[in-house]
Amino acid sequence: MSTLSTLYRGETNIDFRPLWRRSVPVSAALVVIALLSLLLIRGLNLSIDFEGGGVWEVPVPDTVTVADGRAAVPDLTDARFQLVKDSNGRDFLRVQSGTADIDRSAEIVVALAELGEVTGDDVSVSTVGPTWGSQITGKAVRALVLFFFAVAGYLAWRLEWRMAVGALVAVVHDLAVTAGVYSVFGFEVSPATVIALLTILGYSIYDTVVVYDKVLENQYSALGDGVGHTELVNRSMNQVLMRSINTTITTVLPVASMLIIGGFFLGGASLQDFALALFIGLILGTYSSIFLAAPVLAWLKEREPVTDETKRRQRRAAEAFGADDADDPEVIAAAVGATSGPRPRKKKKRR
Amino acid sequence: MSSRRSLSAIAVVVVALAGAIYTLAVGNKPLLGLDLQGGVSVVLRPTGEVDEEALARTVEIIRSRVDSLGVAEPEISTQGETIVVDLPGVEQQQRALELVGQTAELRFRPVIADLGPALTSDPEPDPSVVGDGDDADDDSGDGDQMVDSHDGDDTSNDADDEGDDESDAEESSAGVPAGRFSAAAPAQTDTTDDADTADEDADTADDGESDGVDSADDDADTSDDGGAGTGGADDGDDDSAPISPLPQGTLTPDQLTIRDACSIPGVTEPEGDRPELPVVLADEVGNRVCLGPTLLTGEALETAGVSLGNFGEWTVNPVFRSGSEGIGVFNLAARECFQGTEICPPSGIAADQSPRGRLAIVLDHVIVSSPTIGVPTFNRSGIVISGAFEEEGARDLASVLRFGALPIELETQQARTVSASIGDDVLEAGVIAGAIGLALVAAYLLSYYRLAGLVAIGGLVLSALLLWTIIAWFGENLGLALTLAGVVGLIVAVGVSADSNIVYFENVKDAYRGGRKVSTSVERAYQSAISTIVKADVVSLIAAALLYWLTVGAVRGFAFYLGLATILDLVISWLFMRPALAFLARRQMVTKNPSLLGLPPGGPS
């Protein structure tokens, strides 16, 4: 049977453990690279919404060049001039400059309107005072921290505290790596990017919850009996693999369409702002739920002190395989070995 | 049991359709945010400490300024001390930016002349008001000049005064008035000629056509004077308006300025209202009055209160600060008005029946009161403004005076304008991206889950109908706009909604592989699926709620629509998904061939 068909039938039996042994170090390395780039090397290319400054955009005739723009509004501090096209092929001149020029906005609008042979109301203006951006950032960071606490609390309540930890590890990984990509490639970070990053949190946790919920379900079902935690997570992962792939595809499709369509429209630039971060984050979210959240949970669970409850479960499982010494981990491992491979269908009765 | 569930699914469908029909019937439309239809957004913060009352009044002032721009759905809100002004669809963007950011100042101006009742109480000059008397006759003769107001303006001035043309040309290109003062005097002798009337006509035409142009011209007429003033002087002669108290005979430039300023039709435009220049405004009873330059500002005031007199009459008691900056300047002004000097000629009747000058209290281009000065000097705390006050009117005036004592200076934190064309572009891009995204998701679901994909698509369509109804209702009734961030939230929600269906369908697959019949699998799989969906959706809701409460601006809009869509996902998953799939699972076609539901071929082993 081909791999696709197995996938389709939900009968995959991939051993994720060797993959996890590689994926966890890779994720760790990605986070380290991201942090290095963010904190030490490049930082983030923040839009004027965070740093303060002004952006003016005016439709201009084809003949106007960047040099004309410079001549029209001289003496700007740190000004950047750029010609962009919209969907109708109309040229726009985009001028960006620092906070020092905000007060001259009206004057700049007049000069640009003259250059573009339009009225002042056709000039798009965006100015941000120097302190405003830092407040916005502060608020977003506060929201983020509270979000982590709230979600951790909720997951610990509805699932397990280990799962809350695993989910947070995955989410922090996704956030850090996405931010790292922005930093390494120098993409501009706008408020839209921040919104997208926040959305990623939701998605990443959604994916992780789907995996963990399956683990939780299996833990108390026949499938969970007599297997080690890692194997339990591994099996659950196999069960939800197709689900994770499909949910990712259905969320990535609209985002990808935003990303591509945004490329054809001038105004679409703001759409692309959202879509790029979402796109990166979504892919990472799926990756991390399979290759990071799952192994972290398995690892945490392996360190779980053996409680009476687990002992009872293990003994029950061992008995089922006719072993006398139920507490012996070697025997349990052997039992696990016996159950892996093509799973006996009978065992899959659920609740 | 099963039939009750089918009922819930039908109920959802009926509600969604009813909502859509209601929305169509009432004509509700989603209110587009300024990034989707163009507009202006300004975030302001007071520079110093302010109390709530002052902040509330500031918002009120901004609101009334914005109303004068004719914005359909202005959204002015405070978040802490921050004032957020969103003006979607506003056409005069540059003017809106200027107006919103101005600091409100309480000014005391002497009444120079009472120009009699305005024909309408509308402070905005209306073509029908302005084009009164003989001007209206001339209108018919100059019909062609009304078509292009600017040409008319410039030509007429050419005939009149060379220099004027130049200044007007500057104004029309730059939109910023350039004042010239001294040159006006000789032109005064150049009186009645048709060109000048045409000049005014052109203005009148402007009023009707474009406020942007109009403001610049009016400005020139009113305050900046110079060449434009000649037109004004002539108008004075032509006008039948009662302007007798205006200075006559040989005039100094100052007097000329005042006379010209008082001769404009209608009232002064807000941008012409500068403290150092005379203005024409409607007073509290609706008369047009000509006011002299500002004599003192609210900074001279300390506070104000109200009191109830022996005969049940309410009075307002302003208290000035001590010293020459406070009561001192007020008394200087009061003396002028009491004596009825040139600065403040008698225009009111004092309690002793003698004619005295009036001192108008003007807040942000509106005369709140213009009491006659009855005594030559005042004690700083012994001042009484009496009149036919109701309690409310008295308290309002006192509040204005108190506020004047604490002028709020606002600092623009963020200003953004989006031109209508870019807004359209973004909307178009968003709609196309959303449609394509939806189509792709639908196609994928259908190809993977076959008929079950229809359930997912049905759920998406229902969500879409409900969302449209809700968003349109919010737009019409609460003025809540759908921004680009909101659109993204919705597109994202499409994905989340599809996720929920996938979780369910995959669980059905599991159950089916476990050896159950199709219809049993559909029932059995639901419990674990809905538990997963609820957990995942609650996380989304937590995120949406936190973002909504803790952030400002775009992030908030996003959070709102994400939260809304998530709640709808829960509703659809709960009420629609299972009965719809169960309905399909009972069809003979499906029981015979389960692969139609995307179940593994070959059936349960």
Side-chain angles (χ1 to χ4, degrees):
Chain A
M1 212 181 289
S2 74
T3 325
L4 259 182
S5 153
T6 354
L7 261 178
Y8 181 71
R9 293 173 65 95
E11 288 170 0
T12 51
N13 192 17
I14 302 167
D15 189 358
F16 279 99
R17 281 166 291 193
L19 296 176
W20 289 341
R21 271 194 285 278
R22 258 173 268 161
S23 69
V24 175
V26 166
S27 288
L30 284 178
V31 171
V32 169
I33 293 172
L35 289 181
L36 277 179
S37 176
L38 281 171
L39 301 177
L40 297 178
I41 304 172
R42 301 185 59 146
L44 285 170
N45 173 15
L46 295 173
S47 75
I48 62 155
D49 301 275
F50 301 99
E51 309 233 285
V55 171
W56 296 264
E57 276 181 343
V58 62
V60 289
D62 295 346
T63 50
V64 170
T65 63
V66 166
D68 293 336
R70 281 186 198 283
V73 273
D75 328 318
L76 295 182
T77 44
D78 307 328
R80 274 191 284 166
F81 292 77
Q82 202 183 348
L83 278 171
V84 287
K85 269 192 196 305
D86 75 351
S87 54
N88 307 318
R90 204 165 33 148
D91 281 313
F92 276 75
L93 178 67
R94 184 185 146 95
V95 183
Q96 179 172 345
S97 97
T99 48
D101 299 315
I102 295 177
D103 293 339
R104 292 173 55 201
S105 181
E107 179 194 326
I108 294 169
V109 166
V110 169
L112 288 179
E114 203 171 321
L115 179 72
E117 296 163 24
V118 293
T119 70
D121 290 336
D122 288 322
V123 182
S124 285
V125 187
S126 177
T127 61
V128 180
T131 55
W132 181 244
S134 59
Q135 287 174 34
I136 295 286
T137 319
K139 281 190 173 164
V141 168
R142 203 178 52 173
L144 196 69
V145 170
L146 272 172
F147 171 81
F148 281 143
F149 277 108
V151 165
Y154 178 74
L155 292 184
W157 172 50
R158 292 308 305 266
L159 303 169
E160 285 179 13
W161 70 262
R162 286 176 196 82
M163 296 185 172
V165 173
L168 286 190
V169 168
V171 154
V172 169
H173 161 266
D174 298 346
L175 275 185
V177 176
T178 309
V181 168
Y182 268 76
S183 167
V184 168
F185 291 98
F187 297 139
E188 192 179 74
V189 175
S190 67
T193 317
V194 173
I195 293 176
L197 283 174
L198 296 168
T199 317
I200 293 168
L201 299 182
Y203 269 134
S204 170
I205 289 175
Y206 192 112
D207 272 345
T208 307
V209 165
V210 169
V211 175
Y212 285 178
D213 212 34
K214 186 53 92 179
V215 173
L216 202 65
E217 193 184 321
N218 287 335
Q219 204 162 294
Y220 301 110
S221 73
L223 191 69
D225 278 352
V227 297
H229 296 291
T230 309
E231 174 57 19
L232 180 73
V233 175
N234 188 30
R235 283 186 192 178
S236 307
M237 204 54 249
N238 269 295
Q239 283 184 320
V240 296
L241 183 60
M242 207 50 230
R243 196 162 317 175
S244 285
I245 293 175
N246 273 350
T247 53
T248 306
I249 289 175
T250 49
T251 37
V252 163
L253 283 178
V255 171
S257 109
M258 278 198 278
L259 195 59
I260 295 164
I261 297 295
F264 293 110
F265 290 83
L266 168 81
S270 33
L271 208 59
Q272 270 185 317
D273 272 356
F274 283 108
L276 181 65
L278 275 176
F279 190 77
I280 300 170
L282 282 180
I283 306 281
L284 279 172
T286 310
Y287 163 85
S288 71
S289 73
I290 300 174
F291 294 104
L292 189 60
V296 166
L297 178 67
W299 183 80
L300 281 173
K301 277 186 160 289
E302 290 295 345
R303 266 141 203 80
E304 187 177 2
V306 181
T307 61
D308 288 347
E309 160 66 16
T310 46
K311 268 186 199 160
R312 233 180 297 123
R313 258 198 294 129
Q314 287 170 348
R315 187 174 294 119
R316 213 166 49 232
E319 276 162 8
F321 286 89
D324 293 329
D325 193 357
D327 283 331
D328 186 349
E330 295 299 321
V331 177
I332 292 166
V336 168
T339 53
S340 55
R343 277 172 289 155
R345 295 229 185 270
K346 271 179 254 159
K347 283 231 69 159
K348 281 203 289 179
K349 243 175 234 155
R350 300 146 52 80
R351 285 201 237 181
Chain B
M1 184 63 192
S2 164
S3 68
R4 204 195 312 162
R5 279 200 221 109
S6 316
L7 218 60
S8 74
I10 293 169
V12 174
V13 174
V14 169
V15 167
L17 287 179
I21 291 168
Y22 165 81
T23 305
L24 278 180
V26 179
N28 282 354
K29 278 200 205 78
L31 172 65
L32 296 178
L34 62 96
D35 47 3
L36 296 181
Q37 64 162 321
V40 174
S41 166
V42 185
V43 177
L44 302 157
R45 247 203 352 209
T47 45
E49 297 268 308
V50 290
D51 60 16
E52 255 173 53
E53 191 197 348
L55 202 63
R57 196 159 264 288
T58 308
V59 169
E60 226 168 86
I61 288 169
I62 293 175
R63 199 178 297 275
S64 67
R65 284 179 190 169
V66 164
D67 283 345
S68 76
L69 286 169
V71 182
E73 301 278 356
E75 193 187 323
I76 302 163
S77 56
T78 53
Q79 291 164 16
E81 288 191 349
T82 308
I83 303 173
V84 181
V85 184
D86 279 342
L87 310 174
V90 60
E91 276 165 17
Q92 302 152 257
Q93 301 189 338
Q94 296 305 322
R95 193 171 151 204
L97 276 184
E98 263 172 46
L99 273 187
V100 169
Q102 276 168 10
T103 300
E105 191 178 52
L106 188 65
R107 294 168 185 162
F108 291 79
R109 290 174 178 270
V111 174
I112 295 176
D114 196 326
L115 305 177
L119 291 187
T120 152
S121 57
D122 187 359
E124 284 276 309
D126 185 281
S128 65
V129 182
V130 181
D132 58 359
D134 37 1
D135 291 344
D137 293 340
D138 287 322
D139 274 352
S140 53
D142 300 334
D144 58 330
Q145 288 187 344
M146 287 187 65
V147 178
D148 187 330
S149 51
H150 256 105
D151 280 347
D153 205 357
D154 286 349
T155 348
S156 61
N157 279 320
D158 264 343
D160 180 22
D161 178 347
E162 290 282 334
D164 192 22
D165 183 20
E166 188 187 314
S167 84
D168 262 3
E170 262 173 45
E171 284 154 25
S172 37
S173 65
V176 175
R180 280 176 297 143
F181 218 83
S182 49
Q188 186 204 358
T189 52
D190 175 15
T191 45
T192 24
D193 78 23
D194 282 338
D196 278 310
T197 325
D199 184 6
E200 193 180 329
D201 285 345
D203 273 357
T204 317
D206 284 347
D207 288 338
E209 278 174 26
S210 146
D211 272 351
V213 176
D214 155 47
S215 49
D217 287 348
D218 266 6
D219 220 10
D221 278 355
T222 320
S223 45
D224 288 296
D225 214 83
T230 49
D234 293 335
D235 294 343
D237 293 344
D238 289 345
D239 248 350
S240 51
I243 50 167
S244 47
L246 286 178
Q248 302 289 319
T250 318
L251 302 177
T252 65
D254 270 0
Q255 291 168 327
L256 196 68
T257 306
I258 287 170
R259 178 172 151 169
D260 290 345
C262 291
S263 309
I264 63 154
V267 295
T268 309
E269 288 290 312
E271 33 301 22
D273 186 354
R274 310 241 186 87
E276 72 280 10
L277 296 172
V279 290
V280 177
L281 295 174
D283 70 6
E284 63 270 37
V285 295
N287 281 358
R288 291 196 310 134
V289 293
C290 183
L291 304 177
T294 306
L295 296 178
L296 63 150
T297 68
E299 283 185 52
L301 275 165
E302 190 170 279
T303 182
V306 295
S307 56
L308 186 58
N310 292 334
F311 305 101
E313 78 282 8
W314 285 92
T315 57
V316 180
N317 316 105
V319 178
F320 282 85
R321 294 197 283 136
S322 51
S324 60
E325 295 291 301
I327 187 66
V329 291
F330 178 71
N331 271 333
L332 282 180
R335 200 175 58 212
E336 300 284 348
C337 290
F338 182 79
Q339 292 171 354
T341 64
E342 196 177 83
I343 292 173
C344 185
S347 60
I349 306 293
D352 60 2
Q353 301 304 316
S354 51
R356 301 287 180 209
R358 285 152 71 194
L359 193 58
I361 302 165
V362 184
L363 179 66
D364 205 49
H365 204 60
V366 173
I367 298 180
V368 267
S369 180
S370 55
T372 305
I373 301 290
V375 282
T377 54
F378 293 85
N379 278 329
R380 76 180 189 93
S381 57
I383 304 170
V384 176
I385 303 176
S386 56
F389 286 123
E390 298 291 323
E391 180 179 0
E392 199 191 338
R395 289 200 186 279
D396 277 355
L397 178 56
S399 161
V400 165
L401 292 171
R402 258 205 311 280
F403 175 63
L406 294 169
I408 287 196
E409 208 173 309
L410 294 171
E411 201 173 53
T412 303
Q413 296 293 322
Q414 187 186 39
R416 201 155 76 98
T417 73
V418 177
S419 76
S421 66
I422 291 190
D424 286 347
D425 238 32
V426 176
L427 182 63
E428 204 182 334
V431 167
I432 293 178
I436 292 182
L438 253 178
L440 287 175
V441 169
Y444 183 79
L445 288 173
L446 275 181
S447 70
Y448 196 88
Y449 294 106
R450 314 284 166 88
L451 287 182
L454 285 180
V455 173
I457 294 166
L460 286 178
V461 170
L462 287 177
S463 305
L465 286 180
L466 289 168
L467 275 173
W468 181 50
T469 304
I470 294 171
I471 292 170
W473 191 86
F474 275 144
E476 292 290 332
N477 296 295
L478 303 178
L480 196 71
L482 178 62
T483 58
L484 179 65
V487 171
V488 170
L490 292 177
I491 294 179
V492 162
V494 168
V496 170
S497 186
D499 279 7
S500 302
N501 284 284
I502 289 168
V503 167
Y504 181 36
F505 299 157
E506 288 292 331
N507 271 14
V508 172
K509 255 190 202 178
D510 278 354
Y512 180 71
R513 263 200 315 273
R516 296 176 201 287
K517 286 201 307 185
V518 179
S519 52
T520 329
S521 304
V522 167
E523 297 299 323
R524 295 283 299 199
Y526 182 73
Q527 290 312 324
S528 61
I530 194 75
S531 127
T532 305
I533 292 170
V534 168
K535 278 173 203 152
D537 275 352
V538 166
V539 172
S540 282
L541 281 179
I542 292 175
L546 282 176
L547 288 181
Y548 186 80
W549 294 121
L550 294 178
T551 60
V552 286
V555 181
R556 255 187 140 205
F558 167 82
F560 181 83
Y561 287 104
L562 180 67
L564 184 64
T566 306
I567 289 172
L568 282 178
D569 178 48
L570 278 175
V571 170
I572 301 280
S573 303
W574 207 332
L575 298 178
F576 177 76
M577 200 168 68
R578 171 163 57 163
L581 194 62
F583 174 82
L584 281 178
R586 282 197 304 271
R587 298 308 97 192
Q588 215 174 26
M589 190 169 65
V590 173
T591 40
K592 277 191 188 147
N593 182 7
S595 66
L596 280 178
L597 279 190
L599 297 174
S605 46

